[in-house]
Amino acid sequence: MRTATSTYGSVDMNSAFPYPTSYFQTEAGRMAYTDIGHGPPIVCLHGNPTWAFMYRHLLRDLSNTHRCIAPDYLGFGRSDKPTGASYRPPAQAARIEAFLQHLELEPLTMVVHDWGGPIGLSYALRHPERIARLVITNSWLWPHDKDPWVGSFSRFVGGPIGRVLIRRFNVFAELGLRLGTTRPLSKDVLRAYTSPLDTPERRMPSWEFPRALLAETDWLRSLWTNRSRLRDIDAIIVWGRRDPAFGSTRYLERWTRLLPHARVHETDASHYVAEDLGPRLSDMVLHEER
């Protein structure tokens, strides 16, 4: 199923993101996705509070030689935002698994960022034979209950005060995107990110994710326990050293221990690596494939 127009507030999302939108019906609502190009499949999974728009450069640059697929989790971007649906990461991971099984893709390259790591790698852990390559950008796969900084962030932003700030002022998107990039975002780019979050109800999924950093400790631990299933998968790591949250070398070192054969690109990006690097990320992915 495709749609010709998609508008939030005064923003025509098709002008900001000029790619066709298809929908996959989940148990709770329609999950939007972009599917363009032909060739080996690449699936791009976003984090919080972003959507497939973050991968617009990759979609443009790689769709000449690859089939590029970029979904928006339920509650994000162009997808439905039903009241009462679960926006917890395990529920999102289950939807992504159902979505990928529906597409019946040949072994794929999976690009992950932020919560896209646990959500996407949950599928990779269950079906490692279906993964040709991983592209890891500033993400994680482990629990954070022993990390004081992440714990404090989760308790504040994912707590009652954070809930009010996100619902009333959209603070996670308005402030987080500015703090997580190394260059000022244009008004059009910032509007493309924030417009899908144009009402207090639509902002609840972006509150659920920081809360989940601690609330989903058991689920994250279950993923980390099975991490050895990823060890032999071809991988590249594109790391933003200027990330105020996960730029620390200890996060990167944890990935390199898990993926000892991965090619590592340390960059001057901040948290939102694809946004900061733009076409440079496309070049890294294509170069490593040759």
Side-chain angles (χ1 to χ4, degrees):
M1 178 179 179
R2 296 185 184 274
T3 182
T5 60
S6 180
T7 304
Y8 291 100
S10 61
V11 178
D12 177 2
M13 302 301 280
N14 288 319
S15 64
F17 187 71
Y19 300 111
T21 301
S22 300
Y23 290 97
F24 172 71
Q25 185 65 46
T26 76
E27 87 296 345
R30 299 180 311 163
M31 188 170 71
Y33 67 99
T34 290
D35 185 349
I36 58 172
H38 300 280
I42 295 179
V43 176
C44 302
L45 298 175
H46 65 84
N48 188 30
T50 55
W51 54 285
F53 177 77
M54 187 180 72
Y55 292 113
R56 62 196 181 279
H57 301 292
L58 272 179
L59 295 173
R60 180 196 64 204
D61 298 339
L62 274 60
S63 58
N64 292 324
T65 53
H66 294 75
R67 180 182 177 185
C68 297
I69 301 159
D72 301 344
Y73 310 136
L74 200 71
F76 290 81
R78 303 156 295 172
S79 292
D80 289 347
K81 301 167 179 64
T83 302
S86 174
Y87 296 116
R88 294 172 53 194
Q92 303 285 20
R95 294 176 189 126
I96 289 296
E97 177 163 1
F99 167 67
L100 294 177
Q101 290 178 326
H102 169 75
L103 292 182
E104 297 183 337
L105 300 172
E106 62 186 271
L108 58 91
T109 292
M110 180 177 284
V111 183
V112 302
H113 172 255
D114 191 81
W115 272 106
I119 289 170
L121 296 180
S122 173
Y123 175 83
L125 287 165
R126 289 167 61 85
H127 307 284
E129 74 284 355
R130 300 181 188 177
I131 306 298
R133 185 168 54 146
L134 297 173
V135 180
I136 308 293
T137 70
N138 290 46
S139 185
W140 63 89
L141 189 63
W142 47 83
H144 298 290
D145 54 318
K146 307 296 185 185
D147 189 319
W149 190 96
V150 175
S152 296
F153 174 85
S154 180
R155 282 187 287 270
F156 179 75
V157 181
I161 295 175
R163 180 186 173 108
V164 171
L165 292 173
I166 288 171
R167 278 181 56 88
R168 292 189 60 184
F169 304 107
N170 203 16
V171 70
F172 197 93
E174 294 285 355
L175 184 60
L177 283 160
R178 289 186 174 95
L179 293 177
T181 51
T182 58
R183 55 187 175 81
L185 300 178
S186 72
K187 290 182 180 180
D188 289 341
V189 167
L190 189 59
R191 194 177 298 119
Y193 280 124
T194 58
S195 291
L197 310 171
D198 57 353
T199 68
E201 291 73 24
R202 292 178 184 272
R203 297 168 189 159
M204 287 308 294
S206 69
W207 173 77
E208 187 71 54
F209 275 16
R211 176 178 175 272
L213 288 167
L214 286 183
E216 302 298 346
T217 291
D218 289 345
W219 180 67
L220 290 168
R221 183 171 290 115
S222 72
L223 299 180
W224 186 242
T225 297
N226 293 307
R227 61 191 181 276
S228 62
R229 298 177 186 176
L230 304 179
R231 183 171 297 273
D232 295 327
I233 297 176
D234 185 39
I236 69 172
I237 301 171
V238 182
W239 202 254
R241 292 190 303 262
R242 297 173 65 181
D243 185 340
F246 299 104
S248 168
T249 57
R250 62 193 175 94
Y251 293 102
L252 176 57
E253 288 170 356
R254 203 162 192 177
W255 279 116
T256 57
R257 288 195 300 271
L258 171 59
L259 303 169
H261 306 298
R263 284 86 69 205
V264 178
H265 299 266
E266 294 189 60
T267 75
D268 58 357
S270 185
H271 181 66
Y272 296 97
V273 175
E275 187 63 50
D276 270 347
L277 297 184
R280 290 170 57 196
L281 179 58
S282 306
D283 291 342
M284 291 174 186
V285 173
L286 287 172
H287 175 77
E288 290 289 356
E289 191 171 71
R290 296 190 184 104

